[in-house]
Each structure stands twice: as C-alpha cells, then as structure tokens.
Amino acid sequence: AQSVTQPDIHITVSEGASLELRCNYSYGATPYLFWYVQSPGQGLQLLLKYFSGDTLVQGIKGFEAEFKRSQSSFNLRKPSVHWSDAAEYFCAVGAQGGSEKLVFGKGTKLTVNP
Amino acid sequence: NAGVTQTPKFQVLKTGQSMTLQCAQDMNHEYMSWYRQDPGMGLRLIHYSVGAGITDQGEVPNGYNVSRSTTEDFPLRLLSAAPSQTSVYFCASTPNNPYEQYFGPGTRLTVT
C-alpha cells in the first residue's frame, strides 16, 4: 500500500528565509503527487501537482517542488517565506496510481517568525 | 460554480445518534470522496465513488455508509455515532484521472 511520510511535524522559520518541507512516498510506479495547504479552520488548497514530465513543478504563491524518483521524494520549496505562509502543509500521493483516492502525509505545521 | 459544498458546518451529536453529512458538487465531476482529518493524522479516506451507483471503501470505512444516486451528491451517513468519530470531515471531487481533487470547506463533528 502507498504511504507518505512528512518527517517534520513542525517547522519554524523567519520571514524572508528560505523554506523546504520534506515529503517521501512509497509507490512502485510513477506516482501522482500533490502538495496542499490548509490555513487554520479552513479547507485544503492545492499548491501544486506532479503527474509526469518535468520534475521541477511550479505552483501558486511562489512555491515549487521537485520530484526525485531515486529518493522517492517530492520536497516543497520557497525561496523567501512570507508571514501569510504560516499554515499546515500536506503532501499526498494518488493511491494505486490514480488520483481519485489520495493517501496523505500527517502534515507539517509551519510557523513564521517576524 | 459553487464548487464543492458541505452541510452542516458544525454538528454535535450524542453517542448512538445517527446523521447524514451532505456533500454536493456542481462541476459534473465523476469522482467523489470523503476524508476525515484528525490532529496529527493527516487526512484519511473513508469512502469514495467513481460514478453514480458505484462506491467503495477507503482506509477507515467502519461506522460510515455512503451512496451515490446522482453525479452531484455524495452523502456520508453515520449509523450510530461514537466519540471516536469526532473529527473534521472533508468531501472532495475530481473530474477524471489524473487530476487534482477539489475539497469542500469541511464539517466539524463532535460526538459526546
């Protein structure tokens, strides 16, 4: 069965600093990969997705992620964090090669210090 | 388009009560799913549907029923609520495969 690991439960960065959130997945074939963001008390918003092709994916709000098959990773990055980026971030993989069922990581909560 | 809508936003139930969480989408999406979110657990799939009349179990289906009589609606029924079902429930839809899922705003359920 597929699984997603987000090793960092909580990350604190200063505003303006760079950010990298880690995501590792387990799936035998090429996975469908997603990053979602959730602000407190809100629903989930898609940041970016990877299905195939270019392994560096650009998303909304200045985020990008890189798919590395050899490392089974899909890490999320942002060069300069803004206070409004404080939220919880979830990595997800399409279960059994599809995207109608997602397997989520447990999330990484991001705190941004002024 | 309203997207994915969920009602109610909040609900408090007593143990043993039953209720239905409503989910509707107006995007003509074939696939719909229900997830529950618990602190430190991420989101876990309860049930999903790949079209009207077709449903299947996800990772945590026990205590929940679903049906899909129309493309638009995918209600989640709690047959006999238990405190372990206290959670935030999200409904999602997607038009086909592969594609991202669109999430509703969630229903926060407390079972006492």
Side-chain angles (χ1 to χ4, degrees):
Chain A
Q2 291 84 3
S3 66
V4 176
T5 302
Q6 293 181 248
D8 304 303
I9 296 173
H10 191 184
I11 284 183
T12 300
V13 300
S14 298
E15 191 168 17
S18 63
L19 173 70
E20 182 169 29
L21 302 182
R22 296 182 291 164
C23 172
N24 293 97
Y25 66 90
S26 72
Y27 181 63
T30 299
Y32 300 144
L33 294 162
F34 307 84
W35 274 100
Y36 283 87
V37 61
Q38 184 181 36
S39 298
Q42 302 298 310
L44 281 82
Q45 181 181 25
L46 180 73
L47 284 176
L48 45 77
K49 59 184 182 278
Y50 174 78
F51 294 151
S52 64
D54 193 346
T55 57
L56 186 61
V57 180
Q58 301 298 320
I60 63 171
K61 304 185 180 187
F63 285 93
E64 67 178 25
E66 187 171 12
F67 169 59
K68 292 185 177 180
R69 184 189 304 275
S70 61
Q71 299 177 18
S72 298
S73 69
F74 190 56
N75 294 348
L76 183 71
R77 299 193 295 248
K78 186 170 185 178
S80 177
V81 169
H82 188 262
W83 64 266
S84 61
D85 293 324
E88 191 157 21
Y89 293 79
F90 294 95
C91 181
V93 63
Q96 298 169 357
S99 55
E100 71 274 18
K101 302 177 291 181
L102 297 182
V103 175
F104 282 84
K106 295 184 178 181
T108 298
K109 184 176 181 180
L110 175 66
T111 298
V112 181
N113 287 335
Chain B
N1 284 355
V4 180
T5 58
Q6 294 183 238
T7 56
K9 289 190 186 309
F10 302 94
Q11 182 70 49
V12 179
L13 289 179
K14 294 187 187 302
T15 297
Q17 288 184 317
S18 63
M19 80 158 295
T20 299
L21 307 186
Q22 301 292 343
C23 174
Q25 51 92 9
D26 61 359
M27 298 173 283
N28 202 32
H29 287 176
E30 283 299 312
Y31 303 150
M32 296 185 74
S33 10
W34 276 102
Y35 296 85
R36 60 176 288 173
Q37 182 180 26
D38 303 293
M41 298 295 292
L43 281 79
R44 294 178 292 169
L45 182 67
I46 304 172
H47 286 285
Y48 67 100
S49 169
V50 297
I54 307 170
T55 64
D56 205 347
Q57 297 181 351
E59 180 186 352
V60 288
N62 292 341
Y64 307 95
N65 272 1
V66 292
S67 60
R68 184 105 179 266
S69 55
T70 67
T71 299
E72 295 77 22
D73 300 300
F74 191 42
L76 178 72
R77 282 181 283 276
L78 281 70
L79 307 174
S80 177
S84 61
Q85 294 178 303
T86 293
S87 189
V88 180
Y89 291 85
F90 288 99
C91 179
S93 73
T94 185
N96 49 39
N97 194 16
Y99 214 89
E100 69 258 31
Q101 293 198 4
Y102 296 83
F103 283 83
T107 294
R108 184 174 294 274
L109 175 68
T110 301
V111 183
T112 62

